[in-house]
Amino acid sequence: MSQIIQWIEIGTIIRSLGCCPSEGELHDLIAEVEEEEPTGYIRFEKFLPVMTEVLLERRYRPIPEDILHRAFEVLDPAKRGFLSKEELIKYMTEVGERFSQEEMEEMLSAAIDPESNSIHYKDYITMMVVDEN
Amino acid sequence: MGSGTSTQHHFAFQNAEKAFKAAVLIQRWYRRYMARLEMRRHCTWSIFQSIEYAGQQDQVKLHNFFSYLVDHFTPNNHNERDFLNRMFTEERSPQDSEMENCRDYESIEVPDSYTGPRLSFPLLPDHATALVEAFRVKQRLHARYVLNLLYEARKHLVQLPNINRVSTCYSEEITVCGDLHGQLDDLIFIFYKNGLPSPERAYVFNGDFVDRGKDSVEILMVLFAFMLVYPKEFHLNRGNHEDHMVNLRYGFTKEVMHKYKTHGKKILKLLQDVFCWLPLATLVDEKVLILHGGVSDMTDLEFLAKLDRHKIVSTMRCKTRKEHKKQAEEKGKANQTSSAGTPSPWFLPQSHSLPTSPLRPSTQKAHRAGRSSSVPCGVPLDPKELSHRVRHSVDLELERCRQQAGFPVIKEKEEPLPSASEADPEAEGRREPTQEEWRQVVDILWSDPMAQEGCKANTIRGGGCYFGPNVTERLLQKYNLQFLIRSHECKPEGYEFCHSRKVLTIFSASNYYEVGSNRGAYVKLGPALTPHIVQFQANKATHTLTMRQRISRVGESALRALREKLFAHSSDLLVEFKKHDKDKTGLITLSDWAAAVESVLHLGLPWRMLRPQLVSSLTDNKLEYKSWLKNLAKEQFSHENIQSSLLEALYRNRSNLETIFRIIDSDHSGFISLDEFRQTWKLFSSHMNIDVTDDCICDLARSIDFNKDGHIDINEFLEAFRLVEQSCSKGYASDC
C-alpha cells in the first residue's frame, strides 16, 4: 500500500483520462458519482462504473486543433490572426464558463507575446499541442 | 425600422451565442490541458517522494547487512576485529569535563588576511545582522568564531527546558518556520520578507536546519547568533536531522569537513553535543504545540518535559556487541521483542514495536512532587495571569535544569545491565536513555500524520509512527491545546493542514527536490493564535517560468532519477520480464511491463501513466525489453570498461556505500585504506549476492586517483562514479 496520499480533484482525474467535458458537463458527471449527502469525497466503487461507461461511449472527446482554431476566429471576426490581451481577458473572464483570476493569469503567462501584448492563436495552439505530446 | 432592428437584434443574438460557444470551447480545452499538467505534477511529486522514502528504507538493508556480518563473520586477526569493532562500538558522548577542553578555540589564530566576519561575545544584534549579510555575499566564518559561537550556544541551550514556553504577550507576533535543510537562500528570503528577529518579532525554527542543502553551517551560525542575541524571542526545536549519525549519511558531516579542513573534526564534536541540548518542543501560550515530527498515542508531555534530553545523543539507537551477547543468552527466557534479537550497529535505528512492547515504562514519577503545574491545565486564564504562570513554571524549569547541568545523573535503567564479569569501565560513565525515554523522543521527531484513525509504526522512515486524527484529538484534549504545528514532510505548497485543521505541517525549504518542485512557507501566529500562512519560492528564476515550464523541468529531473533507479535493478528486471515472456519472443505487453517494474522496485508509482516518458518505442504495442534495458544502461555511465553488473550494484547501493565508507573513516580524514576498502567491499558484495571478482575490485580502485600510498579518497571514489551529486550543483540558483 502506497503511503503517499495526495488530494486530487475529480475533474482533474476525469480530464486526465482523456475526456474534455465543459464545466457544466463535469458538474452533471460529478452529481452522478457523488454521495447522497455530499461529503466532499467520491468513492471509487461509484466512480468506476460511471467513468467506464463515459470512456466506452467516448463521451466528451477532446477538441481537434482545427475546431479550436475556428473558435478563436469567431472571437476575431476581422481575422487579424490574433486577439489583444484585453480582448482575451474579456472573453475568458466575462463570457462562457468564466475563468477565475488564477486561471486567467496562468493562461496569460504562456499565451501572451510580451512585445505585441497579444495572443497569436495559431502559434499558441500549435505550441500547446506539441507540448502535450 | 422595425424589421431592420429585429434583424439586427437577431444577428446580434446569433453573434453573442456564437461567441459564447466559442469561449466555452476554448475554456473547456484549456482546463483539460491544465488538468493533465496537474496530473504530471502529481506523478513527479510521487516519484520524488517514493525515491526519498525508499532511500530511508535502505537503512533496513544496511541493518540486515550488519546482522549478516555478525552472524557469519569471525574476525581472523586483530585488524579485522578492530574493523568490526569500529562499527559496533558506540562512540562516547563527551562528558562535561571534556567540554571545557573545547575552550581551546581561544588558541586558534585568525590570520590578518582573513576578511570574513569577526565575532566578539556577548553578541550584539548588529553582529547577527552582519553575519547574515556576510553569508549572503558568500563569505565564510573562520573556524575560531564557529567554535566560539557553538560554545556560547551550548551554554545557553543547557539552561533551556525540554519544552520551551513562549508567550505572545511579550512579542506581538510569532513566526514559525519549518525545515530549512541547509538552504540559506530560503532563510535569507524569510528574514527579508518577514523581517529580522527582534523583541517584537519572535521566531520559532522547527528543526532540520542541516543536511542536503549546501549551507547548513551558515544556517546554524545565523540561527545560533540570533538565539544568543534575543534569547527570549528566538527559539529552536530539535529535528531528526540534528543528529550526528543522520548527518553522516545526508551531507552535513561532509559539508563541515569540506569547509573546515583543519578544525572540522573539532566542530563536529562540539556540534554533536550542541544538538542534543536543543529543546524538543515549543509551546505557545499553552495552546499551540510546535514540534518537529509529530506525536504518537503514547506521547506523554509531562514525561518529555522531565527527561534528560542530553542523553539522547542520537535517535539512532546504540547497543554494543557485549549487550548483544548478554541478551542472546537471555533470549530463551524472556518474551523479548525483536530489538533484542539481533545486534545492531550503533548508528542504525532500531525497529521498535509499538504499544504491545513488554518494555512499558515504569512509573518513574518520583520527580513530580513539589512542582507546580508545568503542564497546561484545563482552566482558561486571563492573559496576564497566564503569562505569569508561564513565567513561573519556566523559572522552575530553569532552576531544575541548572541543577541538573552540573551533575551527571545516573538513572535507573529498564534493561538488565551487563553482568559484572563483563563490566567495562567505559560503560559505567556513560549515561544512556531508557527505552521509554528514547522512544518518546523518537516519536516526536520522526512521526507523520495520516488520514486514517489509529497509530501504527512508521516503517517507511524506520522510526516514529503514523498518527491518525483520533490520536491528535486525544492529545489536544488531554493537554487542552488548540492545535499542533509540525514540519518533517515536504509539501508542494510549503504547508498543509490535516486532521480537521488541527495539525499544520510547515516546510520552509523551497525547491527542495528540484528547482520549481515546491514552495516554502512560514506561519505567523497573532495574539488570537490564528495561523496566517505566507508562501514563497526563493529562486527568482521560477517566477518567470510558467507552470508548464516549471513542471516540465521538475518532471525531467524526476524521470532522470527514476531511470537511474531502473538501471540499478536491471538484472532483477530482466528476470521478471522473462517470467512474462514464456514463449521467449523477446516482447512483453505494457501491462506486464508495468507489473514487472512495480514488483521489482516497489515504488507504488503509476507506471502506465509514466510509460510514455520511460519507454520510447514499441513493436506492435509490445516492448522489446532487452533492448530497452540496454538503452537504460547506455544513458547512465561513461566508464565502458567497467563491468556493468558491478556498476549496477554500486548504483543500487550508493547511499549505503557512502555511509559505510564514512563510518570506516572514523576520524573524518576523508581517506580509508585500500585494505579496508577491499575488506568492506568483499563482505558487502557477498552478502548482497554481487558476483564480482577480487581483481575487478582492484581494477576499480586503481582507476581512481590515489592521493597517498594505499589510501582511497572517499569523495573522489564516490564522485568518480557519479554515486553522489557533485557538491556544488545542488542548491544553486538556475541560470535560466
Side-chain angles (χ1 to χ4, degrees):
Chain A
M1 183 191 65
S2 169
Q3 300 285 1
I4 299 152
I5 302 163
Q6 298 173 61
W7 299 123
I8 304 180
E9 296 201 359
I10 198 75
T12 306
I13 295 180
I14 293 174
R15 287 179 168 126
S16 62
L17 285 171
C19 298
C20 196
S22 67
E23 290 288 285
E25 287 164 335
L26 190 61
H27 284 146
D28 291 339
L29 201 53
I30 291 178
E32 262 185 78
V33 295
E34 246 182 350
E35 304 289 296
E36 278 79 35
E37 285 178 31
T39 56
Y41 298 102
I42 305 283
R43 289 199 300 125
F44 184 63
E45 299 80 36
K46 232 179 162 182
F47 178 71
L48 184 59
V50 173
M51 200 59 220
T52 312
E53 213 182 291
V54 166
L55 289 172
L56 287 174
E57 289 173 12
R58 315 195 119 230
R59 256 192 267 167
Y60 317 128
R61 293 266 78 209
I63 302 157
E65 254 182 87
D66 54 335
I67 307 278
L68 193 54
H69 189 247
R70 266 195 264 159
F72 273 101
E73 283 188 329
V74 166
L75 305 179
D76 173 29
K79 304 272 186 293
R80 301 159 298 174
F82 64 87
L83 288 174
S84 77
K85 182 175 169 187
E86 290 71 32
E87 285 169 341
L88 185 66
I89 293 177
K90 185 187 88 164
Y91 280 119
M92 293 294 103
T93 60
E94 293 175 24
V95 183
E97 291 178 328
R98 310 182 199 174
F99 272 175
S100 67
Q101 192 185 2
E102 222 183 299
E103 284 175 309
M104 193 67 248
E105 275 169 18
E106 182 54 44
M107 186 184 198
L108 286 173
S109 67
I112 293 291
D113 165 28
E115 279 172 35
S116 57
N117 231 17
S118 61
I119 165 177
H120 293 264
Y121 44 84
K122 192 161 201 322
D123 293 338
Y124 176 59
I125 294 170
T126 314
M127 175 185 84
M128 297 283 265
V129 166
V130 165
D131 195 51
E132 276 211 294
N133 302 330
Chain B
M1 200 79 123
S3 65
T5 320
S6 73
T7 322
Q8 272 171 9
H9 281 302
H10 179 68
F11 271 129
F13 179 73
Q14 265 197 330
N15 285 340
E17 214 191 329
K18 271 212 226 159
F20 186 93
K21 284 198 180 137
V24 171
L25 204 82
I26 296 171
Q27 286 150 346
R28 206 177 111 192
W29 162 80
Y30 185 77
R31 284 181 171 128
R32 175 168 171 264
Y33 175 83
M34 290 310 287
R36 295 184 72 183
L37 213 56
E38 177 69 14
M39 209 39 132
R40 252 168 68 183
R41 194 189 64 74
H42 273 282
C43 283
T44 304
W45 192 261
S46 301
I47 294 175
F48 276 128
Q49 257 199 331
S50 65
I51 291 183
E52 177 182 16
Y53 292 167
Q56 289 173 342
Q57 283 170 8
D58 274 351
Q59 287 183 322
V60 176
K61 290 198 204 128
L62 203 54
H63 184 289
N64 292 340
F65 165 54
F66 284 107
S67 302
Y68 166 84
L69 258 190
V70 170
D71 291 339
H72 295 97
F73 186 71
T74 321
N76 287 329
N77 52 50
H78 91 104
N79 274 339
E80 291 182 342
R81 202 172 299 126
D82 279 347
F83 175 68
L84 264 194
N85 273 339
R86 237 178 313 171
M87 296 190 212
F88 285 92
T89 311
E90 185 207 350
E91 236 184 70
R92 280 177 56 203
S93 57
Q95 300 296 304
D96 285 322
S97 53
E98 279 179 21
M99 270 303 109
E100 287 307 307
N101 294 339
C102 287
R103 277 207 95 120
D104 57 5
Y105 63 79
E106 281 167 356
S107 60
I108 300 176
E109 295 234 341
V110 181
D112 290 332
S113 54
Y114 170 71
T115 53
R118 291 171 189 260
L119 303 177
S120 59
F121 293 84
L123 275 184
L124 297 173
D126 281 346
H127 295 152
T129 315
L131 205 56
V132 178
E133 184 53 31
F135 290 149
R136 196 182 65 80
V137 299
K138 314 265 185 258
Q139 286 183 340
R140 188 164 293 168
L141 188 64
H142 194 276
R144 182 213 168 97
Y145 300 122
V146 173
L147 287 166
N148 200 351
L149 181 52
L150 287 177
Y151 180 76
E152 294 295 319
R154 183 187 177 274
K155 267 197 336 204
H156 169 80
L157 287 170
V158 162
Q159 299 172 336
L160 297 179
N162 295 349
I163 301 183
N164 235 337
R165 280 169 167 80
V166 176
S167 168
T168 50
C169 290
Y170 295 100
S171 55
E172 281 142 27
E173 49 164 59
I174 292 185
T175 304
V176 183
C177 302
D179 296 25
L180 285 171
H181 280 302
Q183 299 188 186
L184 184 64
D185 286 343
D186 287 311
L187 179 59
I188 291 180
F189 188 88
I190 293 173
F191 283 161
Y192 166 73
K193 181 144 191 194
N194 193 47
L196 288 167
S198 72
E200 295 78 42
R201 195 175 293 116
Y203 273 94
V204 178
F205 281 87
N206 201 12
D208 278 11
F209 320 122
V210 302
D211 278 333
R212 293 209 174 97
K214 63 179 179 59
D215 296 315
S216 301
V217 174
E218 284 71 26
I219 287 198
L220 279 184
M221 294 296 102
V222 169
L223 294 179
F224 287 143
F226 278 113
M227 180 185 75
L228 291 173
V229 166
Y230 298 118
K232 292 210 284 285
E233 295 84 17
F234 198 87
H235 310 279
L236 303 175
N237 286 342
R238 190 176 186 184
N240 62 307
H241 278 260
E242 275 66 59
D243 183 326
H244 71 290
M245 293 315 319
V246 178
N247 298 150
L248 268 180
R249 179 189 274 270
Y250 289 104
F252 181 48
T253 309
K254 188 160 90 169
E255 182 191 324
V256 172
M257 292 313 300
H258 176 75
K259 287 178 174 169
Y260 297 99
K261 297 190 168 57
T262 327
H263 300 286
K265 207 176 142 207
K266 220 181 275 176
I267 293 176
L268 285 172
K269 204 81 184 147
L270 185 47
L271 267 170
Q272 187 180 318
D273 202 50
V274 170
F275 281 163
C276 25
W277 277 115
L278 284 167
L280 301 171
T282 300
L283 189 57
V284 179
D285 287 347
E286 311 285 309
K287 283 285 161 212
V288 178
L289 183 60
I290 308 173
L291 35 72
H292 178 72
V295 296
S296 75
D297 56 353
M298 300 296 285
T299 294
D300 181 341
L301 291 184
E302 288 141 325
F303 184 82
L304 276 166
K306 286 178 306 209
L307 58 81
D308 181 0
R309 68 180 188 272
H310 186 225
K311 288 195 295 191
I312 319 269
V313 177
S314 165
T315 49
M316 312 259 135
R317 192 79 148 95
C318 33
K319 196 175 275 241
T320 62
R321 290 193 89 187
K322 294 187 181 99
E323 280 189 359
H324 157 62
K325 271 201 212 138
K326 170 95 178 111
Q327 272 168 344
E329 283 161 19
E330 294 184 337
K331 212 179 183 178
K333 295 194 272 177
N335 206 9
Q336 301 256 352
T337 58
S338 59
S339 61
T342 39
S344 333
W346 51 283
F347 49 83
L348 290 185
Q350 292 282 306
S351 57
H352 71 285
S353 46
L354 280 186
T356 52
S357 162
L359 299 168
R360 284 296 195 110
S362 58
T363 41
Q364 272 186 323
K365 311 271 181 182
H367 302 277
R368 263 288 199 137
R371 303 189 64 214
S372 66
S373 61
S374 60
V375 147
C377 66
V379 180
L381 299 165
D382 81 291
K384 234 179 158 192
E385 171 61 296
L386 185 63
S387 65
H388 176 75
R389 268 225 200 183
V390 168
R391 279 273 117 187
H392 182 59
S393 62
V394 166
D395 288 338
L396 277 177
E397 278 272 69
L398 282 178
E399 197 44 56
R400 193 185 69 84
C401 287
R402 270 187 216 115
Q403 281 176 0
Q404 212 182 35
F407 309 99
V409 176
I410 300 163
K411 286 227 174 96
E412 268 176 70
K413 283 209 267 183
E414 253 110 292
E415 297 144 322
L417 291 167
S419 65
S421 56
E422 292 190 9
D424 127 58
E426 244 185 271
E428 267 167 22
R430 231 185 302 160
R431 300 180 273 152
E432 288 221 11
T434 64
Q435 176 89 334
E436 183 60 21
E437 287 174 333
W438 177 83
R439 188 243 233 106
Q440 287 274 341
V441 173
V442 168
D443 280 349
I444 63 172
L445 293 185
W446 285 82
S447 301
D448 291 314
M450 64 173 174
Q452 299 94 315
E453 309 263 295
C455 189
K456 57 184 189 189
N458 192 327
T459 43
I460 284 199
R461 290 196 194 260
C465 67
Y466 286 116
F467 62 100
N470 57 330
V471 176
T472 301
E473 189 56 40
R474 213 177 328 134
L475 187 108
L476 294 179
Q477 271 184 20
K478 178 172 178 193
Y479 296 109
N480 197 29
L481 304 169
Q482 258 174 34
F483 62 97
L484 209 62
I485 299 182
R486 43 90 63 175
S487 304
H488 198 40
E489 281 182 295
C490 183
K491 298 290 175 190
E493 293 298 313
Y495 76 99
E496 192 174 89
F497 281 102
C498 65
H499 296 188
S500 313
R501 291 185 78 94
K502 296 282 175 68
V503 175
L504 167 63
T505 301
I506 194 86
F507 193 85
S508 303
S510 67
N511 305 323
Y512 179 61
Y513 289 125
E514 171 60 75
V515 173
S517 68
N518 65 290
R519 288 170 145 144
Y522 55 87
V523 59
K524 297 164 77 92
L525 301 174
L529 295 180
T530 14
H532 167 63
I533 312 271
V534 178
Q535 293 172 294
F536 60 88
Q537 206 152 11
N539 188 321
K540 277 201 209 89
T542 55
H543 287 310
T544 59
L545 298 175
T546 62
M547 193 188 291
R548 175 179 66 87
Q549 287 168 314
R550 251 181 281 145
I551 290 182
S552 71
R553 279 180 93 206
V554 187
E556 266 318 301
S557 175
L559 289 168
R560 223 179 305 132
L562 198 52
R563 270 187 232 115
E564 231 171 61
K565 235 188 157 43
L566 285 166
F567 162 71
H569 290 86
S570 300
S571 323
D572 290 338
L573 283 172
L574 187 60
V575 168
E576 271 308 303
F577 290 153
K578 283 189 174 154
K579 284 191 198 158
H580 289 276
D581 180 26
K582 298 267 164 59
D583 298 334
K584 300 209 174 66
T585 59
L587 299 167
I588 50 171
T589 66
L590 290 174
S591 318
D592 287 339
W593 173 82
V597 172
E598 178 57 28
S599 76
V600 170
L601 289 194
H602 300 295
L603 288 175
L605 290 172
W607 295 106
R608 258 166 283 218
M609 274 196 106
L610 296 169
R611 199 269 314 157
Q613 263 71 257
L614 297 170
V615 177
S616 46
S617 62
L618 298 171
T619 325
D620 285 334
N621 262 339
K622 285 196 174 185
L623 168 68
E624 263 190 76
Y625 51 89
K626 284 197 191 132
S627 54
W628 180 70
L629 285 171
K630 239 191 230 132
N631 282 334
L632 272 182
K634 267 204 214 116
E635 284 169 22
Q636 291 311 320
F637 59 94
S638 53
H639 295 72
E640 278 103 32
N641 51 335
I642 305 296
Q643 213 183 78
S644 69
S645 62
L646 172 60
L647 217 41
E648 196 190 310
L650 285 175
Y651 267 79
R652 200 175 336 146
N653 298 291
R654 77 157 79 158
S655 65
N656 283 345
L657 270 177
E658 185 181 359
T659 309
I660 294 172
F661 284 159
R662 291 201 188 283
I663 290 165
I664 296 174
D665 177 29
S666 52
D667 62 355
H668 301 301
S669 63
F671 296 100
I672 57 172
S673 80
L674 186 51
D675 260 340
E676 287 170 336
F677 168 63
R678 261 202 237 111
Q679 252 175 1
T680 315
W681 182 258
K682 226 163 79 173
L683 290 170
F684 194 68
S685 57
S686 76
H687 170 65
M688 295 292 178
N689 290 322
I690 298 166
D691 186 21
V692 176
T693 61
D694 261 4
D695 286 341
C696 212
I697 310 288
C698 289
D699 286 341
L700 192 65
R702 241 178 271 130
S703 74
I704 295 160
D705 189 24
F706 285 95
N707 288 13
K708 294 185 182 173
D709 280 325
H711 277 84
I712 293 181
D713 181 323
I714 295 177
N715 294 316
E716 277 190 351
F717 174 75
L718 294 172
E719 279 171 16
F721 291 89
R722 293 199 282 126
L723 290 178
V724 292
E725 290 136 34
Q726 301 294 320
S727 41
C728 49
S729 64
K730 215 171 180 226
Y732 271 121
S734 135
D735 290 334
C736 86

